[in-house]
Amino acid sequence: MKRTVPLAIAAVTGFVLIVSYFIPYMQSWGEEAMIWFDILAAVAFVLGGGNLLKTHLQKISNRRAGWGFSIVTISAFLITLYIGFSKMGVNPAENFPEFSWSGDYLTESGGFGWIFHHIYLPLAATMFSLLAFYIASAAFRAFRAKNTEAMILLGTAFIVLFGRTHAGIYVSQPVVDWLTAISGAEAGSLAGLRLDRVTSTITSIFIVAGNRAITIGIALGIVSLSLKVLLGVDRSYLGSEE
Amino acid sequence: MMKTSNAIWLLLLLVGGGFLVFRTATGSMGKAYVRHETFDATTHINKQIQKIDDEEQQELAKGKTLSEAKTDKRMKLSDRLPAVEGITWTKVSSAERGELTGSDGQPDTAVVFSWSRTIGLWIAALGTLAIMSFLWGDNIFYKVAESVVVGASAAYAMVVGFWTGIIQNLFSKLIPTAMRDTVLPGLPGSQEAELIYIVPLVLSVLMLWRLAPQGGWISRWPLAFFIGATAGIRLVAYLDADFVQQIGNTIIPLLVSDNKQGLMVGQSIGNIIIVIGVLSCLVYFFFSFEHKGVVGATARLGIWFLMITFGAGFGFTVMGRISLISDRFSFLFYDWLWLPKPGIDA
Amino acid sequence: MSDIMPTDSAHDPPSDISPTDAGSDSGFDFRNLDRRWIFLAMGLSIAIPMLMGVVFPEHPSQEVLDVFATVEGLEDGSSVLMAYDYDPASKGELEPMAAAFVRHCAQKKHKLYFITLWPAAVPMLQKNIAILNREYPEYTYGEDYVNLGFRPGSEGVIKVVVTDLKKLYANDVDGTDLNELPLTANLKNIQSMDLIINVSAGTPGAKEWVQYAATPFDIKMVAGVTGVGYTPLVPYVPNQLAGILGAIKAAAEYEEAVLLEYPELRENPATQEGLRKMGPQLVAHMLVIGLIIGGNVIFFTDRRRGV
């Protein structure tokens, strides 16, 4: 029961969606299933928030290392939650002024919008921007041309890094002009050797080839994994035996 | 004697801090402004009624009458006028400091200094610096900022999920009348209660049961629905877009020609390289055969194609990350410190 | 107190090495270079060109021109789905191209339907809509553009809107019934869109729009993505994706393409945000190249010496 029913649910849901793709009569079943899917996705956000609360409350009660910061996390969580749910500072929708709760929860002038623009946005953006510094550090410490493959990788990276800025044109245009002059070729005929054009060539030919193979490989992997899930062969999502 | 690094640090703090104090004291940085506009509900409803009246005039001029739907809408709007009487509020929107003066050179009285947004600006700036302080070393400012963003982002997702998913798609289908009377007055009148949505309601409760101390295994049921649905839609989508279509995209002419130019050498070579590249990479991914002899050589060629792909990917990744830090510096320099934008500010 | 606020020693500055510790005659040991010097170099390589206003000319490449031609080639007043799937973490890279798309479509008087699959992208939509309100006052909400907002479900949302949009979107973000808005009154699904413009930072994003909308229903689509997301999408061009803009360079080129076609936009500094970001980009790229070369020089020197 604990494992059989979920396997059946997964199989039925999956096969209904596959069949609804091919049989127009069943299209509405597929749409209904997807709306339920979307509702559960929304509930998953609630579950995530609840899980965060549970984890950090346990950390505080057990006085594990860093529990002070858990207080900060929970405070930020509860304050944001209250302001968001209560639509604090949100005016009603202009088309429905007599309904005080009709306004958009994320208006710029509301409390939730304030939190987003002045706390979430700058802090989240800055967190990700730190990667630029770590890439630079990794470039110096880790990227070594130890063998042929690494040299090809780094060589391509150099071409792309040069070619995707004005430096590519600035550095390679004089070289192309010189080559045109000494070879007597028609003006502009060797323009394809300019670094920005070489980058475009790499993009439109070599990257297409490599990524297409990767895409095909991933597609086959996803198809086999999906079939294994639907047929009940892969049960890892059910967790441990209980 | 102070260590060199500490001395440099102290000097930077004194110079930086002094600069900030000076700029703030002279009013040359870190302020936010808003534009105020009064909204009057009665005026707004009357405008909508007027718009329908204008449409009616246009229809009459053409010898037609206004549609029943529009007439009905006008009646409903008129019926609402008593309920909205006296409802006004101030609409607040962001304003640039350049808007303090209107186009006529006179002060624009609608644009005012905003304490809440100014405090928010400083919190954002100091939070940004706190996160960046991690580059020097782990410290309490970074940890506090990180904790705040973790808590706020989890709550943000929860609030968004509630208002857009649970209210809009679940409660609006189960109890449309209650929703129409409170948070969704614009819900179509034709929306009636659909009791089939008790199923996703039950599944939602079962999903949240994961947090309960006992009986968490029941959350496998909605999880199975989720996984099964994902598997079902992805199987078809990947098979179509990423397998069949990609094979079709690879069936390209190896010799390309047209009537004017004859054989197009560049494009032909490109196509040949693409086909050889895709096939050799696929041979590399075939681990059922030993990579020896012809298979080994082809697989090696495939690896080289993949190295070019990854090298280009690295180049693009570097490009992407650098533009992120550009954006944060832009916020600190121009939005907070009000440094002149070159080429824009005099 | 230490258990409340423990220190994470993994990221503490190395206590035995300071940036000025002599390891060589020059006073700098590059082999054991404190990475904070590299961080400082990266910071300066972006800050200095930015403050100096270094800007370089951009020439739209063929792939950017393909995207431009797709939007420009639509008849004026065509229906365009603006699917903006990015969050604050990627706004530095994607906002310039998102704004350029909005301005280009507004110049062509296209009808715009804003939608997103990311919860944190809703304010990003608002910011792009604010461009319409500010610079194109003739654009009327409900007649020329509509904001559908966000719904959770990732590709599940695409699966529904591609067959029956109003099953998922009964109202717009302001709670107005979509049947009441002229633009959406007769809208059944997104198959009636002439073009999908997707600006995406990851999953769900361009790949999902290609897989669930553009490919099965043959809807024309262009995408603007981050550098990281660019290479996996290249195989879709041109049959499934008419074109892609990859990273800030493509955003700058696209801005230039729009400005070449509509020179009056050049008076507005906000139309050249991507172009301004290319100055710091160039210097930072040179730094990264220099660091890779420097690191490899040290590596090969040490290898030859047998260190």
Side-chain angles (χ1 to χ4, degrees):
Chain A
M1 172 87 161
K2 282 184 182 178
R3 294 179 80 82
T4 318
V5 171
L7 288 174
I9 291 173
V12 167
T13 312
F15 283 117
V16 162
L17 284 163
I18 292 171
V19 170
S20 71
Y21 182 82
F22 296 103
I23 300 177
Y25 176 76
M26 290 182 63
Q27 191 178 284
S28 61
W29 295 22
E31 283 169 14
E32 210 60 48
M34 289 323 305
I35 295 175
W36 296 5
F37 177 93
D38 296 340
I39 291 169
L40 285 177
V43 175
F45 285 138
V46 177
L47 179 65
N51 199 46
L52 179 115
L53 200 61
K54 183 180 168 187
T55 310
H56 284 272
L57 281 172
Q58 279 175 347
K59 199 171 176 184
I60 293 169
S61 74
N62 295 337
R63 294 289 192 272
R64 287 207 304 270
W67 65 270
F69 295 113
S70 292
I71 295 176
V72 176
T73 303
I74 289 182
S75 305
F77 176 81
L78 291 174
I79 291 170
T80 309
L81 204 67
Y82 174 71
I83 291 173
F85 279 152
S86 64
K87 286 191 175 178
M88 193 182 283
V90 173
N91 293 319
E94 288 185 2
N95 287 339
F96 308 101
E98 66 270 44
F99 296 92
S100 52
W101 283 76
S102 58
D104 178 19
Y105 64 97
L106 204 46
T107 26
E108 202 192 340
S109 53
F112 197 61
W114 187 95
I115 289 177
F116 179 88
H117 283 105
H118 298 112
I119 295 179
Y120 179 41
L121 188 151
L123 297 189
T126 311
M127 282 249 177
F128 274 84
S129 68
L130 295 185
L131 288 166
F133 297 98
Y134 293 117
I135 277 190
S137 174
F140 180 71
R141 288 160 173 242
F143 293 132
R144 300 287 180 258
K146 287 182 184 170
N147 51 36
T148 316
E149 284 81 18
M151 274 195 262
I152 294 173
L153 191 147
L154 284 177
T156 313
F158 281 170
I159 293 171
V160 169
L161 285 170
F162 257 115
R164 296 290 287 181
T165 62
H166 189 69
I169 301 174
Y170 188 74
V171 162
S172 57
Q173 186 66 57
V175 174
V176 168
D177 291 340
W178 174 74
L179 284 172
T180 309
I182 63 167
S183 66
E186 217 177 284
S189 59
L190 296 179
L193 294 177
R194 225 170 59 186
L195 274 176
D196 58 318
R197 299 281 185 92
V198 172
T199 308
S200 286
T201 305
I202 289 174
T203 307
S204 58
I205 295 175
F206 293 90
I207 296 182
V208 167
N211 270 298
R212 186 161 287 160
I214 293 171
T215 303
I216 290 172
I218 291 174
L220 289 172
I222 295 277
V223 167
S224 77
L225 180 64
S226 300
L227 269 175
K228 284 200 288 190
V229 165
L230 295 179
L231 295 174
V233 175
D234 185 340
R235 305 175 185 195
S236 53
Y237 63 92
L238 293 177
S240 56
E241 289 284 343
E242 197 187 315
Chain B
M1 183 67 184
M2 198 185 275
K3 272 167 68 177
T4 318
S5 57
N6 286 349
I8 294 172
W9 212 195
L10 183 63
L11 185 65
L12 278 172
L13 275 173
L14 286 172
V15 168
F19 174 73
L20 286 178
V21 167
F22 171 72
R23 294 276 291 194
T24 315
T26 55
S28 310
M29 67 171 273
K31 288 183 181 173
Y33 299 91
V34 291
R35 177 175 294 280
H36 282 171
E37 221 178 291
T38 306
F39 175 84
D40 185 296
T42 308
T43 311
H44 184 77
I45 300 283
N46 278 329
K47 266 191 196 158
Q48 292 181 57
I49 295 172
Q50 184 61 48
K51 197 173 167 192
I52 297 176
D53 288 340
D54 292 342
E55 279 174 35
E56 189 181 32
Q57 293 302 320
Q58 286 170 8
E59 293 295 297
L60 287 171
K62 291 181 206 167
K64 298 179 192 172
T65 53
L66 196 65
S67 67
E68 206 179 304
K70 287 265 162 76
T71 311
D72 191 42
K73 186 177 174 183
R74 182 172 55 192
M75 198 159 48
K76 282 183 181 163
L77 284 170
S78 303
D79 291 343
R80 287 169 62 197
L81 279 172
V84 305
E85 199 179 316
I87 296 179
T88 62
W89 63 75
T90 306
K91 275 169 49 173
V92 180
S93 56
S94 313
E96 302 290 322
R97 55 193 149 114
E99 293 175 52
L100 282 168
T101 314
S103 50
D104 55 359
Q106 297 299 315
D108 189 344
T109 52
V111 178
V112 297
F113 171 78
S114 166
W115 271 109
S116 66
R117 293 192 190 205
T118 300
I119 290 169
L121 176 65
W122 278 81
I123 290 175
L126 295 175
T128 300
L129 293 174
I131 299 277
M132 283 186 181
S133 69
F134 188 69
L135 295 169
W136 182 261
D138 203 1
N139 60 83
I140 189 170
F141 300 113
Y142 168 78
K143 280 202 150 64
V144 169
E146 181 193 46
S147 303
V148 166
V149 78
V150 164
S153 58
Y156 176 88
M158 211 160 138
V159 170
V160 170
F162 175 75
W163 286 115
T164 57
I166 296 173
I167 293 288
Q168 285 278 0
N169 288 333
L170 182 62
F171 289 171
S172 69
K173 301 253 178 17
L174 275 175
I175 43 170
T177 311
M179 291 294 105
R180 212 176 279 120
D181 291 340
T182 50
V183 295
L184 295 175
L187 200 58
S190 55
Q191 178 68 51
E192 287 173 354
E194 293 178 51
L195 294 179
I196 189 78
Y197 278 82
I198 288 178
V199 176
L201 176 67
V202 169
L203 287 175
S204 303
V205 172
L206 295 183
M207 191 180 242
L208 292 174
W209 211 263
R210 192 177 182 82
L211 297 171
Q214 294 230 335
W217 60 267
I218 199 75
S219 66
R220 286 179 194 159
W221 291 18
L223 184 66
F225 175 88
F226 212 78
I227 299 288
T230 306
I233 60 175
R234 285 193 176 183
L235 192 151
V236 178
Y238 273 82
L239 210 50
D240 183 13
D242 284 14
F243 186 69
V244 172
Q245 293 277 348
Q246 289 304 314
I247 292 172
N249 293 348
T250 314
I251 300 173
I252 43 180
L254 298 180
L255 294 174
V256 183
S257 64
D258 77 4
N259 294 332
K260 285 186 196 159
Q261 294 175 285
L263 178 70
M264 295 163 74
V265 176
Q267 217 156 315
S268 303
I269 293 174
N271 285 0
I272 291 169
I273 293 175
I274 287 176
V275 172
I276 291 174
V278 173
L279 291 174
S280 58
C281 290
L282 286 173
V283 166
Y284 171 68
F285 291 145
F286 235 92
F287 295 113
S288 314
F289 294 122
E290 215 172 335
H291 288 180
K292 281 198 311 197
V294 173
V295 173
T298 314
R300 190 145 183 95
L301 180 64
I303 292 175
W304 289 354
F305 269 93
L306 290 171
M307 288 302 112
I308 294 175
T309 304
F310 297 145
F314 166 68
F316 279 100
T317 302
V318 168
M319 174 154 235
R321 299 303 177 209
I322 288 168
S323 59
L324 300 183
I325 195 67
S326 264
D327 184 64
R328 298 323 299 150
F329 279 13
S330 179
F331 162 73
L332 288 173
F333 293 154
Y334 303 127
D335 295 337
W336 181 47
L337 294 175
W338 285 8
L339 297 177
K341 269 189 184 171
I344 297 171
D345 297 330
Chain C
M1 189 72 173
S2 61
D3 60 337
I4 300 173
M5 315 271 182
T7 53
D8 174 6
S9 58
H11 201 80
D12 280 346
S15 54
D16 57 337
I17 297 171
S18 80
T20 55
D21 265 4
S24 68
D25 292 339
S26 65
F28 239 83
D29 181 6
F30 283 99
R31 277 171 199 79
N32 299 311
L33 186 66
D34 187 334
R35 64 181 177 171
R36 289 172 295 179
W37 286 114
I38 299 173
F39 296 161
L40 181 64
M42 175 57 87
L44 290 173
S45 72
I46 294 169
I48 293 173
M50 180 179 284
L51 291 169
M52 289 172 60
V54 176
V55 178
F56 297 101
E58 293 294 334
H59 307 284
S61 59
Q62 188 53 52
E63 48 186 23
V64 169
L65 288 174
D66 289 342
V67 175
F68 180 85
T70 306
V71 180
E72 186 69 17
L74 292 174
E75 254 183 60
D76 282 15
S78 297
S79 298
V80 179
L81 185 74
M82 311 288 274
Y84 282 9
D85 303 322
Y86 66 97
D87 63 355
S90 355
K91 82 174 188 70
E93 204 174 352
L94 296 177
E95 210 155 67
M97 61 174 82
F101 277 134
V102 168
R103 289 193 178 95
H104 192 188
C105 289
Q107 292 289 131
K108 292 282 292 178
K109 308 210 184 333
H110 292 326
K111 306 294 183 193
L112 306 178
Y113 301 75
F114 289 90
I115 193 173
T116 180
L117 303 177
W118 286 42
V122 178
M124 308 295 130
L125 285 185
Q126 290 169 346
K127 199 159 177 194
N128 283 289
I129 288 171
I131 294 174
L132 288 177
N133 295 335
R134 217 171 28 240
E135 299 172 26
Y136 298 91
E138 69 275 16
Y139 255 69
T140 310
Y141 188 82
E143 291 175 19
D144 300 307
Y145 73 100
V146 67
N147 185 358
L148 298 172
F150 163 77
R151 290 289 183 272
S154 302
E155 56 259 53
V157 173
I158 305 176
K159 283 288 284 183
V160 179
V161 301
V162 88
T163 49
D164 191 341
L165 183 137
K166 287 176 185 164
K167 268 195 176 170
L168 205 56
Y169 285 92
N171 310 97
D172 69 353
V173 287
D174 294 320
T176 309
D177 182 357
L178 289 188
N179 294 317
E180 301 280 312
L181 297 173
L183 199 59
T184 50
N186 298 320
L187 180 67
K188 167 80 174 155
N189 53 49
I190 64 167
Q191 291 179 54
S192 57
M193 295 292 151
D194 298 303
L195 179 68
I196 298 174
I197 294 178
N198 177 241
V199 177
S200 103
T203 304
K207 192 172 176 74
E208 282 68 28
W209 283 104
V210 168
Q211 289 176 328
Y212 296 97
T215 302
F217 297 96
D218 216 13
I219 309 171
K220 202 185 295 184
M221 179 175 159
V222 295
V225 296
T226 60
V228 173
Y230 173 70
T231 52
L233 291 173
V234 168
Y236 292 129
V237 180
N239 296 331
Q240 292 155 282
L241 257 184
I244 325 174
L245 300 182
I248 192 71
K249 166 80 170 161
E253 289 177 8
Y254 191 81
E255 282 180 347
E256 184 60 28
V258 171
L259 293 171
L260 287 170
E261 185 68 26
Y262 304 99
E264 67 273 20
L265 292 178
R266 226 175 263 277
E267 290 166 16
N268 179 2
T271 59
Q272 292 133 70
E273 198 57 43
L275 287 161
R276 277 194 291 277
K277 283 186 170 164
M278 286 309 296
Q281 199 78 27
L282 185 150
V283 180
H285 278 208
M286 295 304 106
L287 174 70
V288 171
I289 289 171
L291 287 169
I292 293 176
I293 292 172
N296 278 282
V297 162
I298 294 172
F299 171 70
F300 284 112
T301 312
D302 286 349
R303 200 157 79 164
R304 215 168 334 123
R305 272 202 239 151
V307 171

